[in-house]
Amino acid sequence: MLTTPAAPPASSANPQSAHSPQAASEADWWRGAVIYQIYPRSFLDTDGNGIGDLAGITAKLDYVESLGVDAIWVSPFYPSPMDDFGYDVSNFTDVDPIFGTLEDFDRLIEAAHLRGLKVIVDLVISHTSDRHPWFQQSRASRDNARADWYVWADPKPDGTPPNNWLSIFGGSAWAWESRRRQYYLHNFLTSQPDLNFHNAQVQDAVLDAARFWLERGVDGFRLDTVNFYFHDKQLRDNPPLPPGKPLTGVDPSNPYAYQDHIHDKTQAENLAFLERLRALTDSYPHATMVGEIGSDRDPFATTAAYTQAGKRLHMAYGFDLLTNDASASYIRRTVAAMEAGIGSGWPSWAVSNHDVPRVVTRWGGTHPPESFAPLTVALVTSLRGTPCLYQGEELGLNEAEVAYEHIQDPYGKEFWPEFRGRDGCRTPMPWDGSDPLAGFSHVDAWLPIPEGHRARSVQAQEADPASPLHRTRRFLAWRKTQPELITGAIALLDTPEPVLAFLRGDGATRVLCAFNLSDSEQQIALPGVTPVATLEAPDFTGRFDGGALQLAPFDAAFVRVIDT
């Protein structure tokens, strides 16, 4: 049986866990921990404005704790005009009133820590809102104190933008400012101007913002678009994307996918800044960082560079498992490429988040069986790395169909109907299916709640021991007892479609993890792998029988084996 080489052991500076993340050295709590992403707007509304808030997260921490996760990642809650729903920050050191107050945040931190939950917050520093005081000052003239805090450039002689860089959200990445008679760079909306990280004062300012939240007790950061911080100072044109090299994370209907983005992001200067950021977080006990590597031309090499052990980020993830390809061969190639290139770094994996259609729809199709969602949870939490689960993933929520008149996402409005935006994965959490508003709010929510989601509410699933919710809880509880699944090495097995299989562990005896990604029974031979004992992973029935591995539809097997 062909396998990929086992992953290298963790560095001596980052000792691996003996039994669970909690048993590891406290500085390494993040290694193999399960992170639960909360999108505040859509979690729970406690003040009656139809938008979720920080108090709503605090009110549901017992539920979050019951899932068996180790940390929460809270998406942006900072003051913002909400053009991009919080990813356009106008003040890095406060809470937007629609989400609550700093005191509400402090109560959330305290309540989470009392339950043993770490708290990671989104740090969105590649750009700001155009309402941020820094930009308001910068755009006023070419000679003020913050004139060089953003990326400004003169027009070409014919008045057109300085180069061919494109915005992910459509059109040129350059917008005109008449007062300066210059263009400013925006990789996203025109109201999201990019900060100039070549300016040391900018670096100091965003590090001060990070320090503010560390002082308030956060356990780390999820770094939004971490590879977008620096741009090419010469402003050279991007070349066309070479044939056969698709850009993950960008819909093919978007012209952004036509360029090879070698000059507008992922610049070498970013490495030194990430070392400054790491030095800051290392001065706070237990603080960690997970970076989002967005639409990168070589995400595995970038992940390796950004997560070099002890120097920069603790971990990073890309969009490589957030695609539509759910074949065993694609997942195997993706994980193998990451493992082959990451060196001393540490990956993070996700199959759902607030930016892509939900995995149940993306990978499972129109009518996936009830067993599909628990299978994907088990798969992503069995890979080597730190998995992130997105709110509602434990309920098996499908992608919501949001009518055009209800679309809020500017990205969806720009590329409709070929790309319908991100609202379908951002609809409110269904807490109580018997309530007209699903227990989310007492007024109409900011996005409509699908009837199908009400039927999959937390209340409904609590009453069904076989529900995806209970299966998620049972699996995550069992996972904590399996040290190989938390920090062990990984070796991928060359199994036929539709079975994905790999070994986890560092010794002679390892754990075979096998997943049937189809709706038909599978029987496969695994020469060179000798079963020792079938592990009683809750709700999964796969096992060896007559020398072959037997898997029911959308089933998994966890078997202690000797690799001969």
Side-chain angles (χ1 to χ4, degrees):
M1 176 60 59
L2 298 174
T3 68
T4 60
S11 72
S12 59
N14 292 295
Q16 293 190 13
S17 162
H19 296 290
S20 72
Q22 289 77 12
S25 69
E26 268 299 298
D28 260 7
W29 68 264
W30 49 272
R31 195 179 289 275
V34 179
I35 300 172
Y36 184 75
Q37 182 193 355
I38 294 176
Y39 192 70
R41 293 184 71 88
S42 296
F43 202 61
L44 180 68
D45 172 24
T46 63
D47 60 6
N49 64 359
I51 296 171
D53 43 54
L54 295 178
I57 299 173
T58 304
K60 292 296 185 181
L61 284 179
D62 286 343
Y63 168 80
V64 175
E65 181 188 14
S66 78
L67 298 176
V69 300
D70 302 289
I72 58 173
W73 149 25
V74 185
S75 293
F77 50 82
Y78 313 109
S80 166
M82 299 297 163
D83 291 349
D84 192 24
F85 299 101
Y87 285 90
D88 48 326
V89 179
S90 57
N91 183 345
F92 286 117
T93 57
D94 205 349
V95 173
D96 194 289
I98 67 170
F99 296 125
T101 64
L102 280 171
E103 290 71 28
D104 290 325
F105 181 82
D106 293 340
R107 284 189 283 270
L108 169 58
I109 289 281
E110 181 181 13
H113 287 169
L114 284 173
R115 291 163 174 80
L117 293 168
K118 306 290 188 183
V119 180
I120 295 170
V121 298
D122 238 313
L123 194 63
V124 187
I125 55 175
S126 74
H127 53 269
T128 70
S129 165
D130 61 359
R131 312 281 182 86
H132 197 294
W134 297 349
F135 187 70
Q136 291 293 310
Q137 182 177 359
S138 185
R139 75 189 311 178
S141 68
R142 296 192 184 196
D143 57 2
N144 65 77
R146 291 193 173 94
D148 192 35
W149 277 43
Y150 293 81
V151 183
W152 296 97
D154 292 330
K156 290 180 178 179
D158 63 358
T160 56
N163 60 28
N164 71 344
W165 296 355
L166 297 174
S167 162
I168 290 180
F169 286 179
S172 171
W174 298 96
W176 182 251
E177 170 51 61
S178 58
R179 282 168 287 187
R180 292 180 57 131
R181 297 185 183 180
Q182 285 183 306
Y183 286 96
Y184 66 85
L185 178 66
H186 62 93
N187 276 297
F188 301 94
L189 297 173
T190 57
S191 58
Q192 292 172 292
D194 274 58
L195 283 164
N196 178 18
F197 273 76
H198 292 289
N199 185 327
Q201 291 180 314
V202 169
Q203 294 186 33
D204 292 343
V206 297
L207 289 172
D208 285 344
R211 185 179 294 107
F212 174 87
W213 295 106
L214 290 165
E215 286 290 328
R216 297 197 90 89
V218 303
D219 300 292
F221 303 107
R222 179 263 187 185
L223 299 169
D224 185 63
T225 59
V226 68
N227 56 320
F228 280 70
Y229 294 170
F230 283 82
H231 65 285
D232 173 35
K233 291 183 76 171
Q234 297 181 51
L235 303 182
R236 288 171 286 187
D237 281 352
N238 285 327
L241 189 69
K245 288 192 66 176
L247 197 64
T248 58
V250 180
D251 192 86
S253 65
N254 188 340
Y256 190 86
Y258 289 41
Q259 288 188 358
D260 196 0
H261 295 271
I262 61 174
H263 295 308
D264 52 353
K265 60 186 177 185
T266 319
Q267 301 298 294
E269 296 94 329
N270 204 22
L271 299 179
F273 172 73
L274 295 181
E275 290 169 12
R276 294 190 67 193
L277 192 54
R278 178 60 180 260
L280 172 64
T281 57
D282 279 352
S283 66
Y284 290 83
H286 325 317
T288 192
M289 295 182 291
V290 55
E292 177 201 31
I293 295 174
S295 309
D296 194 78
R297 64 193 301 263
D298 191 350
F300 307 119
T302 302
T303 299
Y306 283 17
T307 64
Q308 186 176 345
K311 290 192 70 174
R312 301 177 187 115
L313 306 181
H314 299 78
M315 48 190 162
Y317 75 90
F319 282 73
D320 301 281
L321 291 186
L322 296 168
T323 62
N324 292 332
D325 193 339
S327 65
S329 59
Y330 174 78
I331 298 171
R332 184 184 305 112
R333 287 196 309 272
T334 299
V335 176
M338 178 69 79
E339 290 294 328
I342 199 168
S344 64
W346 186 259
S348 177
W349 296 105
V351 295
S352 277
N353 69 16
H354 65 292
D355 279 332
V356 297
R358 287 187 175 273
V359 69
V360 165
T361 300
R362 209 176 67 248
W363 284 6
T366 307
H367 300 292
E370 284 295 287
S371 56
F372 186 79
L375 182 72
T376 61
V377 169
L379 192 161
V380 75
T381 58
S382 295
L383 296 172
R384 189 183 86 102
T386 295
C388 293
L389 301 179
Y390 178 49
Q391 65 182 51
E393 209 168 334
E394 74 278 13
L395 303 177
L397 295 184
N398 63 321
E399 180 77 354
E401 290 286 340
V402 181
Y404 182 78
E405 58 267 25
H406 296 302
I407 289 287
Q408 303 292 320
D409 182 14
Y411 197 6
K413 291 178 180 178
E414 178 69 23
F415 290 101
W416 181 279
E418 290 299 312
F419 174 67
R420 294 172 176 263
R422 301 164 294 178
D423 291 332
C425 65
R426 297 177 175 184
T427 54
M429 272 285 284
W431 296 102
D432 183 353
S434 67
D435 182 84
L437 299 172
F440 169 74
S441 179
H442 298 300
V443 300
D444 288 340
W446 74 286
L447 279 174
I449 301 170
E451 188 64 29
H453 285 196
R454 285 163 31 87
R456 306 189 69 82
S457 70
V458 172
Q459 177 211 41
Q461 296 200 31
E462 289 283 15
D464 179 7
S467 67
L469 173 59
H470 281 294
R471 288 192 59 176
T472 296
R473 286 173 174 156
R474 286 192 292 265
F475 185 82
L476 294 184
W478 175 79
R479 178 184 181 272
K480 287 180 182 291
T481 70
Q482 307 298 316
E484 296 93 340
L485 297 187
I486 298 170
T487 56
I490 189 170
L492 293 143
L493 303 183
D494 188 15
T495 48
E497 203 71 41
V499 175
L500 175 71
F502 48 84
L503 302 175
R504 293 294 311 275
D506 302 280
T509 301
R510 293 186 278 178
V511 174
L512 167 69
C513 309
F515 303 87
N516 179 6
L517 304 179
S518 77
D519 58 1
S520 59
E521 293 184 3
Q522 299 294 320
Q523 177 178 306
I524 62 169
L526 293 173
V529 175
T530 302
V532 175
T534 300
L535 301 176
E536 298 302 323
D539 306 300
F540 292 110
T541 62
R543 61 194 61 246
F544 277 92
D545 185 10
L549 184 64
Q550 310 285 338
L551 290 165
F554 299 114
D555 193 15
F558 295 86
V559 182
R560 198 166 298 282
V561 300
I562 298 174
D563 185 17
T564 57

